[in-house]
Amino acid sequence: MDYNLLAELLLPDIDKTPDCYENLYPDRGLKEGARVTRFAPSPTGYLHLGGLFGALTDILTAKATDGVSMLRIEDTDKKREIGEGVSAILDGFSAFGLSFDEGVSADGEKGKYGPYTQSQRVEIYQTVAKQLIREGKAYPCFCTADELTALRERQEKEGAPFGGYYGKWAKCRDLSFDEIKKNIDEGKPWVLRFRSDGDENKKVFFDDIIRGKIEMPENVIDEVLLKSDGIPTYHFAHVCDDHFMRTTHVIRGEEWISSTPKHIALFKACGYRLPKYAHTPQVMKIDEEDGTKRKLSKRKDPEAAVSYFVETGFPKEALIEYLMTLINSNFEDWRRANKDADVFSFPFNLKKMSSSGCLFDMAKLNDISKNIISVMSADTVYQRVTEWAKQYDEELYNLFTKDPEKARAILNIDRENPKPRKDIAKWSEVKDYVSYMYNELYEEYLCLPENIKSEDARKIINEYRKVVDFSDDKQVWFDKIKALCIPLGFTPNVKEYKQNPDAFKGHVGDVSTVIRVALTGRTNTPDMHAIIGILGNDEVQRRLESAEFSV
């Protein structure tokens, strides 16, 4: 067959050769060892936590080697694409401070190796496809959906080792030029298939940076390269893009391991240098129903979506810091030695990634987030909370912006000291945390500890009302509380109470707890002296006067 004639018949409008794109996208000229990575999501839904995990790995790999990271949008599957898919991906990265050196961004594309959206690169794919036709490595297939279904049924009936379009089941593989031309003249739709020369009895080997040497059967399937509308399949587009964008390292989820023999075969057929592969582990969780480990599910797990962490108000630093503990086993040791260092200065190493699934632990994320928030200034917390509340909690936003100084003062209690409190893990918890400071939020349900009787609590409050003075400093304030103890049957000495608990109704901590409950409705709060100062004399007296305890 005259393959040049076939190429002109199938793709007459393509007048370029692959050399045109070799010249347009030259070698990057980076220093030796610099890695070029790409994160290549499809705009078919929200950004998955596993996607953020993968993107972070791409960015860290490039940064650690003075290389380049790219964001490429793989939108060849138009049936599954959603309208706001790209913006959802970009918003997810923006919310957590991730940015790529090149590719698609909110401000348009950046970089010299674009377009970075596959639907805008169709001519490139068709040019490479035409060259494969010229070389006898690709052919048109006219099989209908019904014929392919019948093929699969026949393979199953005849006991084929596996399904697919290959060997004796590749009906259109050996059509003559005249047969092909006749089908095209009759308007029959066709797809372009790869003419595989693989042998199912032979193996292909590749070194996975994370998993080591992997051995798999060679690809024998005549994969579709171009669909009937001329748009490439993922497999073909991936090969062309990674070559012309000069990707050196393809980092992707372990679910793509099974496709690697196809990609290796296509790289070789096109005459392209094979990139290094690294297949990352999946993000897993413990199933609450049966205790087994499973992949994070879009259907079952709200935390599977990156938007969940935005909506619940986790600081961007917290989620990234937590993911780092999953990505490299030595990150936590590095962090202890580099407490204030930028997370992206961590010397990331792909080889130190685990090959088994990473277990997502919400409790650990909460702990990390509390630590991060605890060392933020009150001004920073106020700014972050109001930014979040403006979109997700109008009531809290209005309270905070109505009196910013009061809000900052509340947030600054027990903050900016060597041992700050760690009460807040996410911004959605702030409303409850500060609720007793605002009458609009405060619910006066006063429940005493079990060891305190309500009549003793009333006596404590009555006596405290006589001595409370807003001009007192913290030490004088606490001394007055201690002075209330003995006349009321309590001891100002906690150690004394522990030695002889039957001799007293309680200790000074119990007395201060009664006051705390009367003013806040809680047994555990930040510094009471500071709380009283912010509430003000009138509100403190009102709450003390109206306190009605229950046990």
Side-chain angles (χ1 to χ4, degrees), residues 383-445:
Q383 179 184 355
R384 297 286 194 92
V385 172
T386 50
E387 287 174 355
W388 174 85
K390 186 174 184 179
Q391 184 169 357
Y392 299 107
D393 193 329
E394 183 180 1
E395 185 178 29
L396 179 62
Y397 176 78
N398 290 336
L399 287 172
F400 267 32
T401 54
K402 180 181 179 181
D403 190 345
E405 291 310 309
K406 177 181 177 179
R408 289 190 180 95
I410 296 169
L411 296 171
N412 202 38
I413 301 174
D414 288 343
R415 186 175 293 278
E416 300 182 27
N417 63 63
K419 292 185 178 181
R421 289 179 65 94
K422 299 175 182 179
D423 298 290
I424 304 169
K426 47 188 177 287
W427 308 136
S428 55
E429 295 177 347
V430 170
K431 188 175 188 176
D432 179 67
Y433 178 70
V434 304
S435 62
Y436 55 82
M437 301 298 292
Y438 293 93
N439 287 336
E440 295 90 337
L441 304 175
Y442 181 47
E443 295 180 6
E444 295 188 27
Y445 178 71

Side-chain angles (χ1 to χ4, degrees), residues 535-550:
L535 285 175
N537 182 65
D538 292 344
E539 182 59 23
V540 167
Q541 291 292 354
R542 187 194 69 77
R543 291 191 184 186
L544 292 174
E545 184 177 0
S546 64
E548 289 291 338
F549 296 103
S550 61

Side-chain angles (χ1 to χ4, degrees), residues 115-168:
Y116 296 89
T117 301
Q118 285 186 336
S119 60
Q120 299 174 25
R121 299 172 63 85
V122 172
E123 186 181 69
I124 299 174
Y125 311 129
Q126 293 186 355
T127 298
V128 177
K130 190 169 185 177
Q131 183 62 32
L132 291 177
I133 298 168
R134 290 192 186 103
E135 296 173 2
K137 298 176 181 177
Y139 64 91
C141 172
F142 300 91
C143 290
T144 65
D146 288 341
E147 287 175 315
L148 293 175
T149 298
L151 167 65
R152 287 190 290 270
E153 292 173 351
R154 187 157 61 91
Q155 286 177 329
E156 186 175 343
K157 183 178 180 180
E158 295 180 15
F162 48 87
Y165 203 87
Y166 67 98
K168 68 177 183 179

Side-chain angles (χ1 to χ4, degrees), residues 277-297:
Y277 283 101
H279 290 92
T280 59
Q282 294 180 331
V283 180
M284 315 285 283
K285 74 171 291 184
I286 299 296
D287 193 289
E288 295 177 358
E289 295 180 2
D290 58 17
T292 59
K293 188 187 292 187
R294 62 169 174 77
K295 183 181 177 181
L296 274 179
S297 165

Side-chain angles (χ1 to χ4, degrees), residues 317-347:
E317 302 93 333
L319 185 58
I320 298 302
E321 187 89 4
Y322 173 66
L323 290 178
M324 291 294 287
T325 69
L326 300 181
I327 284 175
N328 257 190
S329 58
N330 61 327
F331 175 76
E332 291 179 87
D333 289 339
W334 176 84
R335 173 54 81 200
R336 280 189 285 270
N338 301 272
K339 296 184 185 302
D340 300 320
D342 185 332
V343 69
F344 290 104
S345 65
F346 170 68

